[in-house]
Amino acid sequence: ETGVTQSPTHLIKTRGQQVTLRCSSQSGHNTVSWYQQALGQGPQFIFQYYREEENGRGNFPPRFSGLQFPNYSSELNVNALELDDSALYLCASSRRQVKWEHEQFFGPGTRLTVL
Amino acid sequence: GDSVTQMEGPVTLSEEAFLTINCTYTATGYPSLFWYVQYPGEGLQLLLKATKADDKGSNKGFEATYRKETTSFHLEKGSVQVSDSAVYFCALQGANSKLTFGKGITLSVRP
């Protein structure tokens, strides 16, 4: 069973640029959640995708957007990058069933540095 | 809104010492509670969980009990090892299925 994978591992961008991060779900999972983890902090929920639609969003501006594809993989797009966007971006996949509570499995993350 | 508060760190212990990491939460309804661990350079791994009041989660010698009356989910281990050195996060999952994390605490275990 393949776990959650993310690409790229590291990324350096400059302020104002745009970035796309990618996530492949664990086999059999239909839900993807994205989190931002600033240095020395706990992860903060960005949004969640279920069956290709956004299903919940945290306190992040619209320049953070996402997609989920029919194979349940996902992208996180960030426009007009700011210095404070520098963080580890974590993707988590899960299998939503009848019950709302479902264990989320995390990928290794993408380290984004904005200069 | 939902929130999780963890004790301030870092924590440094000698091998075989007893570990307690405090965690309290604020949430509406009946959340599920989790402890995640993050080893250097890696993503988050689920350590243990509890889904209802009085449940005890356990894994790899770690334990935590869901205490609704004190809104707490403290992590304990009777004898820590050097390999337990990592960052530990307490988290809750509410009805909207998102995870809300505490700030994390760094544990260092000396030989």
Side-chain angles (χ1 to χ4, degrees), chain B residues 70-103:
Chain B
T70 55
T71 62
S72 65
F73 193 55
H74 304 322
L75 182 68
E76 296 182 337
K77 187 175 185 182
S79 176
V80 294
Q81 305 300 312
V82 172
S83 58
D84 294 326
S85 298
V87 182
Y88 291 81
F89 294 93
C90 183
L92 69 83
Q93 186 176 44
N96 57 8
S97 79
K98 77 171 190 178
L99 286 167
T100 299
F101 289 86
K103 290 186 175 181

Side-chain angles (χ1 to χ4, degrees), chain B residues 35 48 50 55-58 62-66 73-76:
Chain B
W35 276 99
L48 53 84
D55 267 3
K56 177 184 283 188
S58 61
F62 291 89
E63 293 183 340
T65 301
Y66 190 142
F73 193 55
H74 304 322
L75 182 68
E76 296 182 337

